[in-house]
Amino acid sequence: MGKLRTEEFQVNMGPQHPSTHGVCRLLLTMDGEKVVDVVPHVGYLHRSIEKICENRTYAMCIPVLDRFEYVTAMSCNYVFALAAEKLAEMEVPERAEYLRVIMLELNRIASHLIFYGTTAMDVGALTPFLYGLRERELIVDLFEMTCGQRLTYNYIRVGGVSRDIPKEFVPKCREAVKIIGEKLSDYEGILNENPIWIARMKGIGLTDPQKAIAWGVSGPVLRAAGVKHDLRKDDPYSIYNKFDFDVAIRWNGDCYDRYLVRLDEIRQSLKIITQALDGLPEGDVRAKVKAKFKPPAGEVYVRIENSRGEMGVHLVSDGSTKPLRVKTRGGSFNQLQYLPEIVRGKGYLIADLVAIFATFDIILPEVDR
Amino acid sequence: MPLVLMSLELIEIFRWAYGLLAELGLPPVWVMLISYGVIGVLMFGVLALLALFLVWWERKVAGHVQQRFGPMRNGWHGWYQTIADAIKLLQKEDVDIIARDKFVFFWAPVLCFVAAFLAYICIPFGKDLIVADLNIGILYIMAVTTFTVIALLMAGWGSNNKYALFGGMRSAAQAISYEVPMVASILTVIIYAGSLSMVDIVQSQNSFFGWFICRMPFGPIAFVTYIIAATAEANRAPFDIPEAEQELVAGFNIEYSGMKFAMFFLAEFINLFTVSAIAVTLFLGGWEGPWLPSWLWFLLKTLGIVFLLMMFRWTYPRLRVDQLMEFAWKFLVPVTFANLILAATMKYLGWYW
Amino acid sequence: MSEYLSVLIFIAVGTGIVLFTFLIARLIRPRNPYPEKGVAYECAEEPIGDSWIKFNPHFYIFALIFVIFDVEVVFLFPWAVAFGQLGLFALVEMVIFILILFFGLYYAWKRGVLKWV
Amino acid sequence: MTRDELKAYIESNFVGRMTLLESGKVEPMYEIKADDLIEVATKLRDDLELKFDFLCNMGGVDTRERLEVIYNIASTSKLHRLDFKVILGYDSPAVESICPVWPGANWYEREMYELYGIDILNHNDLRPLLLPEDWDQGHPMRKDWDAPDFVRMPEL
Amino acid sequence: MGLIKKVPVYTENIPGGALVATSLEQVLNFGRAKSLWYLLFGTACCAIELMCTGASRYDFDRLGMIYRATPRQADLILTAGTITKKMAPRLRKLYDQMAEPRYVIAMGGCTINGGPFYYDSYSVEKGIDHIIPVDIYIPGCPPRPESLMEGCIHLQEVIRKQKLSDWQEK
């Protein structure tokens, strides 16, 4: 058939759209059902967290940073606390480190469960969404037991954690780990072999590892493209080098692999949590921190492996009680930047774009801050 | 109680009323008009109740599949939830969309509902319980239900909204693609029934092994292909791409609110019941069954199929639009036509029960 | 033919009932139009351009294939009804008829017409 | 490479082009001249021993005395990390775009342009990223920025 | 048409007319209250709690609340999350596009007055009541699902007390 020219037109997807996970606006240039180009417009959730942090003391920064990436608020707490500790060259009690690892990994699972649910929902399976959130509630209960909050925890502080865990925590946590481990096979049973699911996910949204690195893509998206890059192994922070776990990796870099990598990561996190619970030492949970915490002047960039990729903070201190600059970095920022690269000119349909967006697991506060 | 139920036969009432009217000395045409009119209104009442029930049931099924309860606060297990919804929709503002095409926008929901409603003229709810036993019954149903597509296309076009346009286009493409395999599966039944009349089709499968689904091997194939095509015709998940929430926000009905939206909603559930009723009539022996009154058998079987379609919706991911079309043309059409030839050959050779 | 009168009456009744419910709704619903309310909804943004656009012509090819098959189906209906009385000749004839159409479908398939957009 | 090896390697290979700063607490922090930026960055990326192929983060800093642009880079194969910065004055600060070296810098630069007013030279697209389209109140991340509805936290 | 608004006026002189008016009022209010379809609109942290409320443990559907993706069919906006200055016009647009009767629940501290982003923030709208009229405020950062449901039940009570005579019409 000869080329017949059709009219290209522009459609707004977002800021209020069920599958943009918040308030991203994708300006699509369409040719019929085909997506010719996509331009992300962000900033609808730009809350000036960095500016606020510059006017807060170090302790007060942490609750604000909770809202930087609320799906894994523990990571946000941790990365800032880690940066401040590095600046002040502070030692953290071992029990606190164990608790931090348990919380971080629980939070990673919670985040991936949301991913599982929302991705299934975006691809049109409505029920797995509720299953994912149902198991997430178990983890949320644990957090609530520990720090009294369901979503924004303010638990990991400079020098340790805010308080010790209650004594019911460990058995409850073991139980949750067991249940989630069992349910995980259910999740895989629902979707992994489903022909419609495979048809929708396989071969869609291929990422090129070299390009992805150049664009700063990290985390599960990069690992699904066959790059074995996990900061827990490559640039170990906290006590991750004490635990035995594998880096989940897949090689095709399509939506299906990104989905599988995340499910595998849940499994690895469960493994880490079990080991951490077994090895949990007694002792203090917080180092002595002065009421007016003043790290010496200097600057540091720390990065951790969050569920959406590398999360980092560049912290600049001028020796006063308030940081001079808190520059945060979230995985979604780079991934959303990279999104047009893999969609442009590939002839994906609007449904594919939704699947790609979902498996990139972009959440907007991390982009907009 | 069962005795009362068994004596409930609409046709008797109709005959009685007909005779009464004829005695009054009205011209026959008027008698026809009035009696059919009354039946039409009655049918609307039944369908409205049915749709209310189906919406409630859908929400309960969804709830229980998803390990929650669904509506609980309005009556016993929320039984009057949909009534509240209906009252709400009745008093919802009808927004004047500036850029719409006024005529098309207004008539789309009407056509959508009427198309769904017309099918009920020749659906046999039970023994002798049919409005008019048209001799081209099934062909007629196929013809009128297709009007729904035009209505959805009108809704998509008339809204002057890109998402709605996508929804309308998709629904048209989907409906015309699945029409062919659907009709081909129906034809396998017609070869054996030898008639297009719905009543004749039911009467030709008068024992359990006479049900067309039990005719090996083409019966089950035709049934499965019919169910797949019917799910697509009724725009149900996993074929609900015209209103795919995650892609097109709400698809063709994106700009509709209030009563106009309610008509689409109603038509969707009426269509769901229609395709299930056709499946029952063609493959599952219609009203045939022991002990219970015929209409109850029909209702039970139909609700069983409806339940099946609901379970589809809440378990499967959604197909992509191109996969959907390819599935229809590259798989269903060849399979159904091959099945048709197989059935015809076996009929000719006499290898069937 | 009197049965077919019921179709006409049902059309009238159906339309009448829908219009009646619209009328009731019109009586009890609030009405408060203002220009912002009537803007087409496009995910909370101002729509870009008109949505009455030239659509991909591929779409019509599906419609064409459908028309061909639908005409075939129209021929098949009387054939199926009368099949019991017709015998071998009708069977062979219809198989040939279907096969010819399938060559057409196969051709369209190979030309890549059966690809959506 | 470990931190000390990295320091030594850079000292010998980037003579006069990268100045070690005191402020870096964990990883070495260097200063690079604004004119030299692209060349040094390309070399950092392409050097077979360094292979800094991953731009973690970049952003502006307002220290009340000057403006800085910080770059945090890492290597996904060699697993080492490095920070460097470009120091700019307040009057017409401008820095070359490093998108040719690390394309991921694109949005960071757009963000820096609108929040700090640091001009990015040779950038292909400097539309506002985070702020509203009709923003006309200057560059809010500067320390001396103020606006009518900007409420400062009272000192505790 | 707005005829309904005048029903109390017409019926007050008829014997028993007031009864008709009030029962009509009750039936209509019942429909509105028991079938609040909310707009799928979440911006930030509260959206996660909104999701949880819709999910298995809390189950919004019990109250008859289901989500609609398009504002034309929604009755309620739950502003789940911070509204920034860039988002504010869009929120207003969404509200404008909703068909009446429409209700707003300000969920979470950010939408009530800016919450944790009140001080030192240059881009957060300090309270959505500058933009759209709010019926119910639910404090919390983010509010728990229980308090969200409580807020919705309160809104239902508010709706049940509406009068035909103050039917929204401008």
Side-chain angles (χ1 to χ4, degrees):
Chain A
M1 279 220 315
K3 280 267 172 207
L4 271 166
R5 280 198 59 78
T6 45
E7 206 174 336
E8 286 183 1
F9 58 100
Q10 289 186 311
V11 184
N12 283 308
M13 193 167 145
Q16 189 265 330
H17 189 279
S19 62
T20 52
H21 297 202
V23 281
C24 182
R25 172 182 165 209
L26 301 175
L27 185 59
L28 311 179
T29 309
M30 311 275 293
D31 173 15
E33 285 248 353
K34 249 185 220 165
V35 179
V36 178
D37 196 5
V38 48
V39 182
H41 287 246
V42 299
Y44 295 96
L45 193 53
H46 180 54
R47 298 178 289 188
S48 56
I49 282 180
E50 290 171 1
K51 181 88 177 171
I52 293 173
C53 284
E54 285 175 13
N55 296 300
R56 299 281 196 277
T57 63
Y58 285 87
M60 288 159 77
C61 282
I62 287 178
V64 179
L65 280 171
D66 267 334
R67 278 97 187 150
F68 159 50
E69 216 271 54
Y70 44 73
V71 182
T72 55
M74 286 287 181
S75 301
C76 314
N77 291 174
Y78 178 68
V79 73
F80 183 80
L82 186 65
E85 285 157 12
K86 284 255 168 81
L87 271 182
E89 287 165 5
M90 188 188 282
E91 283 293 314
V92 177
E94 206 188 358
R95 185 174 170 86
E97 289 285 15
Y98 269 88
L99 289 180
R100 285 174 170 190
V101 167
I102 292 171
M103 296 305 163
L104 288 177
E105 293 306 318
L106 281 175
N107 212 328
R108 188 189 313 278
I109 296 171
S111 161
H112 283 338
L113 287 175
I114 287 189
F115 159 82
Y116 172 81
T118 50
T119 305
M121 188 134 162
D122 288 350
V123 179
L126 300 166
T127 301
F129 173 68
L130 287 105
Y131 290 171
L133 283 182
R134 181 188 65 195
E135 262 63 68
R136 182 178 172 273
E137 289 287 336
L138 294 173
I139 298 171
V140 170
D141 281 349
L142 290 172
F143 288 148
E144 201 177 350
M145 185 192 281
T146 321
C147 59
Q149 256 289 22
R150 284 168 54 88
L151 199 61
T152 47
Y153 310 111
N154 188 18
Y155 180 63
I156 298 174
R157 306 273 177 88
V158 178
V161 296
S162 69
R163 71 196 73 173
D164 205 349
I165 47 173
K167 65 175 187 304
E168 313 90 68
F169 182 90
V170 176
K172 281 257 180 194
C173 187
R174 282 187 200 280
E175 196 191 322
V177 165
K178 191 165 150 272
I179 292 173
I180 292 168
E182 283 164 7
K183 295 286 179 190
L184 204 55
S185 349
D186 283 3
Y187 298 160
E188 290 174 341
I190 295 170
L191 290 181
N192 280 16
E193 301 292 317
N194 187 322
I196 300 178
W197 180 258
I198 291 175
R200 286 294 305 275
M201 304 291 266
K202 267 222 167 117
I204 303 298
L206 291 169
T207 47
D208 173 64
Q210 289 314 314
K211 267 195 177 163
I213 290 173
W215 277 90
V217 173
S218 53
V221 180
L222 191 60
R223 283 196 287 280
V227 181
K228 201 165 185 169
H229 180 66
D230 188 329
L231 295 175
R232 289 175 293 176
K233 289 269 192 206
D234 292 351
D235 188 3
Y237 51 93
S238 191
I239 47 166
Y240 273 106
N241 44 18
K242 284 189 186 172
F243 300 116
D244 166 43
F245 66 98
D246 299 321
V247 177
I249 182 167
R250 302 272 159 167
W251 290 270
N252 294 329
D254 56 3
C255 289
Y256 191 64
D257 279 8
R258 288 196 279 276
Y259 157 77
L260 286 181
V261 160
R262 288 200 171 85
L263 282 194
D264 289 348
E265 269 188 25
I266 297 182
R267 229 171 238 127
Q268 298 303 328
S269 295
L270 292 174
K271 218 164 139 186
I272 297 174
I273 293 169
T274 317
Q275 292 172 46
L277 286 174
D278 289 340
L280 187 66
E282 292 300 315
D284 279 345
V285 293
R286 196 158 185 206
K288 281 266 172 283
V289 183
K290 269 187 248 143
K292 285 213 163 183
F293 176 71
K294 275 191 208 170
E299 53 194 304
V300 66
Y301 175 74
V302 296
R303 50 181 191 156
I304 64 168
E305 184 70 30
N306 185 29
S307 58
R308 287 174 182 73
E310 179 177 328
M311 175 185 268
V313 163
H314 189 100
L315 186 61
V316 185
S317 158
D318 57 355
S320 70
T321 53
K322 293 174 183 174
L324 186 70
R325 171 81 165 115
V326 181
K327 173 77 182 79
T328 49
R329 184 249 200 241
S332 299
F333 191 80
N334 287 61
Q335 276 140 33
L336 189 57
Q337 240 190 114
Y338 181 51
L339 182 76
E341 286 293 305
I342 64 167
V343 174
R344 193 178 292 141
K346 298 278 168 56
Y348 289 132
L349 303 182
I350 196 166
D352 294 327
L353 179 72
V354 168
I356 295 168
F357 196 91
T359 51
F360 267 49
D361 201 13
I362 291 159
I363 66 159
L364 269 296
E366 219 184 11
V367 180
D368 294 343
R369 299 184 297 273
Chain B
M1 189 65 187
L3 267 174
V4 180
L5 289 176
M6 279 206 238
S7 65
L8 179 86
E9 297 206 334
L10 191 65
I11 202 95
E12 291 302 323
I13 303 167
F14 177 58
R15 281 198 189 114
W16 171 77
Y18 191 83
L20 198 72
L21 283 170
E23 269 175 35
L24 285 174
L26 280 168
V29 179
W30 279 102
V31 176
M32 291 291 290
L33 282 177
I34 291 170
S35 47
Y36 276 128
V38 169
I39 289 174
V41 175
L42 278 178
M43 187 60 83
F44 174 79
V46 171
L47 287 180
L49 282 179
L50 206 58
L52 286 180
F53 169 72
L54 287 180
V55 175
W56 171 80
W57 198 30
E58 166 106 51
R59 282 169 77 170
K60 292 308 275 189
V61 168
H64 285 275
V65 167
Q66 297 169 344
Q67 301 220 334
R68 52 190 182 89
F69 284 107
M72 284 300 280
R73 300 278 295 229
N74 300 328
W76 181 81
H77 281 256
W79 69 269
Y80 56 76
Q81 178 60 53
T82 37
I83 299 174
D85 287 340
I87 297 173
K88 196 276 306 275
L89 283 170
L90 197 64
Q91 52 182 318
K92 199 83 178 128
E93 188 193 3
D94 180 34
V95 183
D96 292 325
I97 291 107
I98 295 162
R100 79 201 150 154
D101 184 324
K102 213 167 179 180
F103 178 80
V104 177
F105 188 80
F106 180 81
W107 286 100
V110 180
L111 180 60
C112 189
F113 174 77
V114 171
F117 182 56
L118 279 184
Y120 282 82
I121 287 180
C122 54
I123 284 180
F125 283 92
K127 203 166 164 44
D128 290 338
L129 207 58
I130 183 167
V131 176
D133 181 19
L134 302 183
N135 51 10
I136 54 157
I138 185 71
L139 184 61
Y140 162 80
I141 293 181
M142 290 287 92
V144 292
T145 47
T146 317
F147 275 116
T148 313
V149 181
I150 298 172
L152 300 193
L153 201 55
M154 277 165 73
W157 184 259
S159 304
N160 195 358
N161 181 308
K162 285 162 205 154
Y163 285 112
L165 184 68
F166 274 138
M169 286 292 188
R170 281 176 170 197
S171 96
Q174 177 184 350
I176 61 173
S177 296
Y178 280 85
E179 187 84 15
V180 176
M182 190 166 170
V183 171
S185 352
I186 288 171
L187 280 174
T188 36
V189 172
I190 292 168
I191 289 175
Y192 285 86
S195 167
L196 295 172
S197 151
M198 298 291 267
V199 174
D200 290 351
I201 291 172
V202 175
Q203 278 165 351
S204 67
Q205 34 185 343
N206 47 11
S207 71
F208 177 73
F209 290 103
W211 290 7
F212 282 114
I213 194 177
C214 299
R215 305 267 169 109
M216 293 297 162
F218 48 84
I221 300 177
F223 178 69
V224 170
T225 47
Y226 173 79
I227 287 290
I228 294 173
T231 319
E233 283 283 294
N235 289 339
R236 302 276 303 174
F239 305 103
D240 64 338
I241 50 160
E243 44 188 324
E245 221 137 50
Q246 277 70 29
E247 294 155 30
L248 302 185
V249 189
F252 59 86
N253 61 33
I254 190 167
E255 297 284 13
Y256 283 90
S257 65
M259 225 37 219
K260 286 181 183 152
F261 166 66
M263 284 301 147
F264 283 117
F265 209 58
L266 197 62
E268 188 191 324
F269 280 88
I270 291 176
N271 274 333
L272 173 66
F273 195 81
T274 313
V275 294
S276 312
I278 296 171
V280 168
T281 312
L282 295 183
F283 295 100
L284 300 178
W287 69 74
E288 299 282 352
W291 311 305
L292 295 172
S294 60
W295 59 271
L296 194 57
W297 267 116
F298 177 81
L299 203 62
L300 286 177
K301 287 177 187 174
T302 311
L303 290 182
I305 299 287
V306 169
F307 182 69
L308 185 72
L309 296 187
M310 283 180 181
M311 289 303 281
F312 281 167
R313 173 162 182 177
W314 297 105
T315 40
Y316 283 114
R318 182 183 299 122
L319 276 165
R320 205 171 61 205
V321 57
D322 60 327
Q323 291 163 349
L324 189 86
M325 305 298 281
E326 284 178 16
F327 183 67
W329 289 106
K330 296 184 182 174
F331 178 77
L332 276 186
V333 170
V335 165
T336 46
F337 275 93
N339 193 35
L340 178 62
I341 293 173
L342 175 73
T345 317
M346 290 185 78
K347 163 93 176 178
Y348 173 70
L349 296 174
W351 292 349
Y352 67 96
W353 298 309
Chain C
M1 279 317 278
S2 69
E3 282 154 346
Y4 289 90
L5 193 63
S6 64
V7 179
L8 280 180
I9 296 167
F10 261 57
I11 292 176
V13 168
T15 319
I17 286 172
V18 176
L19 294 182
F20 180 67
T21 52
F22 282 6
L23 181 72
I24 293 185
R26 203 185 159 104
L27 290 179
I28 63 172
R29 73 182 174 221
R31 189 159 178 277
N32 177 21
Y34 50 97
E36 288 83 21
K37 191 182 254 177
V39 177
Y41 168 76
E42 200 173 299
C43 297
E45 284 289 334
E46 222 35 78
I48 305 164
D50 196 48
S51 65
W52 289 331
I53 42 157
K54 296 191 194 96
F55 221 75
N56 202 315
H58 236 109
F59 179 80
Y60 301 107
I61 288 163
F62 271 102
L64 280 180
I65 301 172
F66 167 71
V67 168
I68 295 164
F69 270 85
D70 221 33
V71 170
E72 176 189 9
V73 161
V74 168
F75 282 120
L76 282 177
F77 262 106
W79 168 79
V81 173
F83 183 72
Q85 295 102 53
L86 291 179
L88 183 63
F89 181 67
L91 175 66
V92 172
E93 207 171 37
M94 201 41 70
V95 169
I96 293 170
F97 183 53
I98 291 175
L99 283 182
I100 290 172
L101 266 153
F102 265 80
F103 274 119
L105 183 69
Y106 179 75
Y107 176 73
W109 189 335
K110 282 293 139 192
R111 288 298 302 264
V113 178
L114 296 185
K115 270 203 157 66
W116 179 248
V117 283
Chain D
M1 272 190 262
T2 62
R3 189 185 155 172
D4 294 329
E5 283 169 8
L6 196 65
K7 267 186 181 169
Y9 186 84
I10 284 176
E11 210 164 316
S12 55
N13 282 289
F14 291 82
V15 185
R17 307 176 83 177
M18 293 177 78
T19 330
L20 188 66
L21 296 178
E22 284 300 303
S23 61
K25 286 289 175 191
V26 181
E27 313 293 343
M29 167 65 92
Y30 291 92
E31 191 204 327
I32 295 180
K33 294 272 175 302
D35 324 327
D36 220 9
L37 178 65
I38 293 293
E39 258 179 71
V40 175
T42 316
K43 206 174 167 207
L44 282 171
R45 184 190 64 181
D46 294 339
D47 190 302
L48 289 176
E49 289 298 312
L50 297 174
K51 274 196 179 168
F52 282 111
D53 52 0
F54 190 83
L55 179 79
C56 300
N57 183 23
M58 70 175 278
V61 180
D62 183 357
T63 63
R64 291 200 185 84
E65 287 139 24
R66 60 186 186 218
L67 287 173
E68 295 171 352
V69 182
I70 44 160
Y71 300 82
N72 310 109
I73 53 176
S75 165
T76 50
S77 47
K78 302 274 176 183
L79 307 181
H80 45 223
R81 237 183 48 65
L82 185 77
D83 301 333
F84 62 86
K85 67 167 79 165
V86 174
I87 295 174
L88 306 164
Y90 271 118
D91 39 316
S92 66
V95 69
E96 196 81 16
S97 163
I98 57 158
C99 289
V101 188
W102 295 292
N106 195 322
W107 281 17
Y108 289 103
E109 286 174 346
R110 273 172 73 180
E111 178 195 326
M112 212 157 66
Y113 173 70
E114 65 172 337
L115 295 185
Y116 278 95
I118 298 173
D119 199 9
I120 313 292
L121 307 171
N122 298 330
H123 193 283
N124 55 1
D125 166 29
L126 282 176
R127 281 173 299 128
L129 183 73
L130 299 176
L131 295 175
E133 295 88 344
D134 53 352
W135 183 262
D136 56 354
Q137 294 183 312
H139 309 293
M141 283 300 281
R142 295 252 183 122
K143 292 277 183 190
D144 56 354
W145 180 84
D146 207 356
D149 60 344
F150 181 66
V151 191
R152 281 200 182 277
M153 177 112 161
E155 282 297 326
L156 295 173
Chain E
M1 298 291 271
L3 189 67
I4 194 73
K5 198 176 163 184
K6 300 192 193 87
V7 165
V9 184
Y10 293 147
T11 51
E12 67 186 1
N13 296 325
I14 309 165
L19 188 70
V20 174
T22 39
S23 45
L24 184 66
E25 195 174 271
Q26 273 183 1
V27 168
L28 295 183
N29 283 343
F30 157 79
R32 288 174 170 198
K34 292 295 181 182
S35 151
L36 285 169
W37 294 357
Y38 61 95
L39 182 67
L40 198 61
F41 177 72
T43 53
C45 332
C46 294
I48 305 284
E49 288 297 57
L50 183 60
M51 268 158 58
C52 288
T53 317
S56 309
R57 186 186 282 191
Y58 299 101
D59 189 10
F60 241 158
D61 202 8
R62 277 192 295 164
L63 306 180
M65 300 179 67
I66 51 173
Y67 70 80
R68 299 301 310 177
T70 157
R72 307 284 186 203
Q73 293 150 17
D75 310 298
L76 169 67
I77 291 190
L78 287 153
T79 52
T82 323
I83 300 298
T84 59
K85 283 179 184 156
K86 192 169 181 178
M87 194 65 200
R90 274 86 184 180
L91 177 65
R92 177 73 217 182
K93 200 171 197 64
L94 278 176
Y95 180 77
D96 279 340
Q97 285 175 338
M98 279 166 79
E100 273 168 62
R102 52 194 176 183
Y103 307 96
V104 178
I105 289 184
M107 177 186 178
C110 304
T111 54
I112 295 174
N113 67 350
F117 309 104
Y118 181 78
Y119 291 119
D120 297 324
S121 175
Y122 51 82
S123 61
V124 172
E125 192 68 47
K126 295 176 174 69
I128 57 159
D129 35 14
H130 301 303
I131 316 164
I132 52 177
V134 179
D135 292 289
I136 299 274
Y137 296 88
I138 305 175
C141 189
R144 296 180 57 87
E146 288 93 336
S147 59
L148 178 56
M149 290 182 103
E150 163 116 44
C152 294
I153 292 168
H154 272 297
L155 179 63
Q156 289 184 347
E157 280 163 15
V158 169
I159 295 170
R160 296 295 283 266
K161 284 180 194 137
Q162 281 182 335
K163 293 268 174 279
L164 281 185
S165 47
D166 33 75
W167 210 261
Q168 274 179 26
E169 192 160 11
K170 280 152 217 154

